[in-house]
Amino acid sequence: FGMSLGASSQHDTQNNSRQRVLVVDDDPDSRQLSLDVLTGSGYEVQGAIDGAAGWEALQTFDYDLVVTDNHMPRMTGVEMIAKLRASSINIPVIMATGQLPVFEFARRPWLTPDLALQRPITNDDLLAAVRQILGHGGKSQGRDEPPPQTNF
């Protein structure tokens, strides 16, 4: 299935490539809902159980966008963003969390995500945010089978 390593550009708009989103959330229900909503809208989606697993996935696969919670074991969303910003991985981040770390963002503005959503959010809120960052959205390529979902 379409897991390219390193060769694809960050914003490949060719019709045969679907936009890849990594969802990082330690709450299994919340993560699965996000995966279902984005998969149903034509995105290729993978899930990670916390920031550390998300960081592993980001070093292994190419993504067009990360949607992350903040308060997670092993590594928070802010810590994952810090690692991203310090690396050569240039990828937009949406943080969807119950309590946005606004003081952290004020103190270290380079850690501010591209978009921040205060939970609770609706499926429409999530889709609108993803489309705002990625453009019109993932288009289904008429494949009969659903795209693979991987939880790290």
Side-chain angles (χ1 to χ4, degrees):
F1 295 120
M3 291 193 183
S4 62
L5 295 174
S8 70
S9 68
Q10 286 294 335
H11 295 285
D12 190 353
T13 54
Q14 292 178 0
N15 289 341
N16 64 352
S17 85
R18 297 200 303 186
Q19 292 169 308
R20 303 189 71 222
V21 180
L22 176 64
V23 175
V24 185
D25 197 329
D26 62 321
D27 180 301
D29 294 334
S30 182
R31 184 177 62 245
Q32 191 59 52
L33 182 62
S34 296
L35 291 171
D36 292 346
V37 167
L38 294 173
T39 300
S41 295
Y43 296 96
E44 187 175 329
V45 189
Q46 289 184 308
I49 59 171
D50 60 27
W55 177 241
E56 276 179 47
L58 286 163
Q59 294 177 93
T60 308
F61 303 108
D62 287 336
Y63 297 95
D64 298 297
L65 174 66
V66 176
V67 178
T68 186
D69 187 17
N70 185 41
H71 298 286
M72 299 177 285
R74 296 203 299 159
M75 185 187 297
T76 67
V78 169
E79 289 166 341
M80 187 179 65
I81 291 171
K83 281 184 167 285
L84 264 177
R85 301 289 195 250
S87 76
S88 59
I89 303 170
N90 182 19
I91 183 172
V93 177
I94 295 173
M95 181 174 284
T97 189
Q99 191 172 359
L100 291 169
V102 289
F103 295 114
E104 188 70 31
F105 296 157
R107 205 164 56 85
R108 301 193 292 170
W110 61 91
L111 297 182
T112 304
D114 297 81
L115 224 161
L117 299 173
Q118 179 93 36
R119 285 189 171 145
I121 60 170
T122 65
N123 295 347
D124 288 341
D125 291 338
L126 176 63
L127 273 177
V130 169
R131 288 182 176 137
Q132 183 178 333
I133 298 288
L134 291 180
H136 50 77
K139 286 204 179 81
S140 176
Q141 300 307 317
R143 292 164 40 160
D144 290 21
E145 77 279 7
Q149 286 186 358
T150 308
N151 283 300
F152 291 96

